[in-house]
Amino acid sequence: MNTSSLNTLYYGDPQPLPEEIHLKAGPLSLIYANGWIRHIRVGQHIIVQQIYAAVRDQSWDTIVPQFEDVSFDIQDDSFEVTFLARHIRKEIDFSWHGIITGTADGKVIFKFDGQANSAFQRNRIGFCVLHPASSAGQAALIEHVDGSTTQANFPQLIQAQQPFFNIRAITTHPSESIQARVLMEGDIFEMEDQRNWTDASFKTYCTPSALPKPIIVEAGTRVWQRISITASTSSAVEDQSRDAAIQFQATDKKSALPEIGLASASHGQPLSDREAALLSKLNLGHLRINLYLQTDNFREKLQAAIHQSQQLQGVPLEIALFLSENGDQELRDLRLVADDLQPSVIRWIILHESELSAPPKWVRLAHQHLEGYADVPIGSGTDGYFTELNTNHPTIDEADFLSYSLNPQVHAFDNMTMVENLPIQGITIKTAQSFAPQKHLIVGPITLKKRYEPAAAKSESAPSTDELPAQVDNRQISLFGAGWTLGSIKYLAEAGAQSLTYYETTGWLGVIEQDQGNPLPDKFPSQPGMVYPIYLLLETFANYHQGTQVIGSISSSPLKVDGLIIDDSGAIRIYLVNFTDQPQTVTVQSFAGNYQLQRLDENTTGLLKAMEKPTWTNASMVKLETNGTAIELKPFSVALLKSVAE
């Protein structure tokens, strides 16, 4: 397999990943890549997760920059990086010069000097400073624009409102011996809890949220900002080795394995017999559909979903009902149709077409009209992000369960950020449990990219027919996509989610490609009928029995290697995933005995091919020792260890 094909299999793109440059500024170490810096740390303590500059349009879309004239002057304990960034899309043309310097006395300065080259509407231009999610509960000294100070703490659970306003500087103590100060100049900054969108950070951003948006930026407008980071230590700190051995082991926590389903394909095409046969092997817990009851064709859409359900061996439907202000009559009409068609329904999710979080009155109406229909649970929540649920807590008594969707790319799009965000999916569950105790939590759809922007301004522009839709991510067909899905199941399951809906059945948002292929094969590199690695991962969950448990697990380096442990009536299954482009070795602890090792990696036959059902690569038996056994993982691979009776 050539390099471009291998990269496509790894992460959906034939181009190599951006180079990461490791830099030092005295006791500070950090990584530079593509105009941002991340993991600014002292020893093992991350003091700032990431700093980047964003240009976001009136719909909150991020205009991804192109970088030119990048230069480096790197010394043992200091550096300077300079570049030109250009953000260009349609009417938007904005450029800025970036200068990042690090000095031997432990100071990093990031300067932004930009200019609008056209007139356009924007919601935000400028720096975002991310403090790590590990800051939760820690103390912080906030210096305000007027010179006053506030002593506070980062929120422990996800906070709906901004924790800090009018910020000029933030001082934290990541450990007893380390003090870090971040100074922000050039605008007024405030902080939001980005965990609301499953980002693993607290984001300090410019342009206060109280100011009207969007605003028009005239051609020639200048924007200047500067971020300064200083760190001091009262004792020597050990350098964080990048080559430390990775350990993976179980904890004493257990939870139930959630029910796992898929969404019906949004392209609207029926399933072929071959597609249905493949999907039936997944033994799905449910098939999700959206019904907009104010439209004339909802009966036909429900009929099509019932047919798909029958093709998939009777998988029940999870039906999200979108109501209008005429919801009372719409629910009456739905009940008549349901009584006639008799769909097999596992749950009704009550939503509203113009409300980010459905008010309780709609759930009451649904109970009134749907109560008694096969005793199906009726719940509510949001079709948008967790933040919509967290901001507008529903009246809990009205709903049998709560539901919300998520994706890892609301604010950033690189592989590492997507992996960093995985544990926060579990924090959303813990936060929801704090305001909805004893309620089942239904999460979905879970997708690699956002399906739409709930807070976006209305746009009249039609989507292009020669470009991929905004919700499509080429990593859908990749090994990285399978590994990310495994991580998502791990953290949501360990936190206590009851049900998860991933992706769609077929197409470029699905787990297999349609038999006829996709309409833009030069932009989305799938083959007709191709089985994606995500499918092969989900296939391993198909035969787990009711009552299967998830055993808690921890990795010493979860950004490189993580895993999931399943206890299926005493049969242990240990999944391991390598999130990096380099081979990794992980030592598996906590278990002993004989295991069969299967691999999903670059040697798996049939991947990226048309009309061929690939299978996991089998390897020889592995004996796990009590004191740990090393397992080798190829780049972006998933391994599965299955316990074998003596």
Side-chain angles (χ1 to χ4, degrees), residues 18-21 31-38 67:
E19 182 182 8
E20 294 186 346
I21 310 296
I31 299 170
Y32 169 87
N34 256 16
W36 44 251
I37 53 177
R38 76 189 316 156
F67 295 94

Side-chain angles (χ1 to χ4, degrees), residues 459-516:
S459 174
E460 299 300 326
S461 59
S464 170
T465 57
D466 58 359
E467 294 291 337
L468 288 177
Q471 65 268 34
V472 175
D473 189 321
N474 285 11
R475 285 169 286 197
Q476 192 81 25
I477 69 168
S478 70
L479 288 169
F480 177 86
W484 186 90
T485 304
L486 176 66
S488 174
I489 294 172
K490 167 200 172 75
Y491 286 103
L492 288 168
E494 289 182 358
Q498 188 200 30
S499 174
L500 310 175
T501 301
Y502 285 95
Y503 314 119
E504 296 183 358
T505 50
T506 63
W508 46 29
L509 300 175
V511 298
I512 58 176
E513 185 53 273
Q514 298 179 83
D515 286 350
Q516 69 265 34

Side-chain angles (χ1 to χ4, degrees), residues 37 43 180 204 210 286 304 324 353 454 457 480 484 612 625:
I37 53 177
T204 305
H286 62 269
S324 72
E353 63 172 357
F480 177 86
W484 186 90
E612 184 174 336
E625 303 291 347

Side-chain angles (χ1 to χ4, degrees), residues 218-240:
E218 300 292 350
T221 300
R222 305 281 304 196
V223 180
W224 178 91
Q225 294 175 16
R226 179 170 60 192
I227 307 296
S228 303
I229 303 172
T230 54
S232 59
T233 62
S234 58
S235 61
V237 294
E238 295 183 5
D239 188 20
Q240 179 75 357

Side-chain angles (χ1 to χ4, degrees), residues 315-328:
V315 60
L317 299 176
E318 175 182 275
I319 303 183
L321 300 174
F322 290 80
L323 309 179
S324 72
E325 289 303 306
N326 194 29
D328 183 63

Side-chain angles (χ1 to χ4, degrees), residues 514-535:
Q514 298 179 83
D515 286 350
Q516 69 265 34
N518 82 77
L520 294 172
D522 58 327
K523 296 184 181 297
F524 187 80
S526 67
Q527 298 293 320
M530 191 177 109
V531 173
Y532 305 162
I534 292 171
Y535 173 96

Side-chain angles (χ1 to χ4, degrees), residues 400-477:
D400 297 327
F401 59 84
L402 294 179
S403 175
Y404 58 94
S405 75
L406 59 82
N407 77 84
Q409 296 190 78
V410 178
H411 299 108
F413 320 106
D414 60 284
N415 289 351
M416 185 180 290
T417 295
M418 292 174 67
V419 175
E420 285 175 340
N421 292 350
L422 283 168
I424 310 306
Q425 296 184 18
I427 303 299
T428 66
I429 296 290
K430 297 299 184 185
T431 303
Q433 289 168 342
S434 72
F435 60 78
Q438 309 305 316
K439 291 291 180 182
H440 287 153
L441 296 172
I442 310 301
V443 186
I446 302 164
T447 53
L448 293 183
K449 286 182 81 173
K450 60 185 178 182
R451 294 171 294 131
Y452 64 96
E453 176 54 66
K458 299 296 184 183
S459 174
E460 299 300 326
S461 59
S464 170
T465 57
D466 58 359
E467 294 291 337
L468 288 177
Q471 65 268 34
V472 175
D473 189 321
N474 285 11
R475 285 169 286 197
Q476 192 81 25
I477 69 168

Side-chain angles (χ1 to χ4, degrees), residues 366-633:
H367 274 290
Q368 177 183 330
H369 294 296
L370 299 176
E371 202 75 70
Y373 183 85
D375 295 322
V376 176
I378 299 172
S380 186
T382 180
D383 190 49
Y385 309 135
F386 173 76
T387 187
E388 319 302 346
L389 198 66
N390 200 27
T391 303
N392 303 289
H393 293 175
T395 302
I396 304 304
D397 293 341
E398 309 293 338
D400 297 327
F401 59 84
L402 294 179
S403 175
Y404 58 94
S405 75
L406 59 82
N407 77 84
Q409 296 190 78
V410 178
H411 299 108
F413 320 106
D414 60 284
N415 289 351
M416 185 180 290
T417 295
M418 292 174 67
V419 175
E420 285 175 340
N421 292 350
L422 283 168
I424 310 306
Q425 296 184 18
I427 303 299
T428 66
I429 296 290
K430 297 299 184 185
T431 303
Q433 289 168 342
S434 72
F435 60 78
Q438 309 305 316
K439 291 291 180 182
H440 287 153
L441 296 172
I442 310 301
V443 186
I446 302 164
T447 53
L448 293 183
K449 286 182 81 173
K450 60 185 178 182
R451 294 171 294 131
Y452 64 96
E453 176 54 66
K458 299 296 184 183
S459 174
E460 299 300 326
S461 59
S464 170
T465 57
D466 58 359
E467 294 291 337
L468 288 177
Q471 65 268 34
V472 175
D473 189 321
N474 285 11
R475 285 169 286 197
Q476 192 81 25
I477 69 168
S478 70
L479 288 169
F480 177 86
W484 186 90
T485 304
L486 176 66
S488 174
I489 294 172
K490 167 200 172 75
Y491 286 103
L492 288 168
E494 289 182 358
Q498 188 200 30
S499 174
L500 310 175
T501 301
Y502 285 95
Y503 314 119
E504 296 183 358
T505 50
T506 63
W508 46 29
L509 300 175
V511 298
I512 58 176
E513 185 53 273
Q514 298 179 83
D515 286 350
Q516 69 265 34
N518 82 77
L520 294 172
D522 58 327
K523 296 184 181 297
F524 187 80
S526 67
Q527 298 293 320
M530 191 177 109
V531 173
Y532 305 162
I534 292 171
Y535 173 96
L536 296 178
L537 173 71
L538 294 180
E539 191 179 27
T540 67
F541 289 80
N543 296 317
Y544 289 140
H545 300 90
Q546 187 173 5
T548 295
Q549 297 285 299
V550 173
I551 300 175
S553 58
I554 56 174
S555 168
S556 63
S557 186
L559 295 185
K560 293 181 178 179
V561 174
D562 211 339
L564 168 70
I565 305 175
I566 299 290
D567 181 353
D568 183 14
S569 303
I572 301 299
R573 304 289 185 261
I574 303 172
Y575 295 83
L576 300 169
V577 54
N578 178 1
F579 290 121
T580 76
D581 61 352
Q582 299 297 316
Q584 301 291 344
T585 300
V586 55
T587 299
V588 178
Q589 300 175 322
S590 309
F591 294 96
N594 295 318
Y595 286 77
Q596 181 190 40
L597 175 62
Q598 295 178 292
R599 298 182 185 275
L600 182 56
D601 60 24
E602 60 201 60
N603 294 329
T604 301
T605 59
L607 290 175
L608 295 184
K609 293 185 178 180
M611 299 295 185
E612 184 174 336
K613 169 62 166 62
T615 58
W616 290 62
T617 302
N618 287 320
S620 58
M621 298 293 292
V622 172
K623 185 175 182 60
L624 296 186
E625 303 291 347
T626 304
N627 59 351
T629 302
I631 304 294
E632 304 289 334
L633 300 174

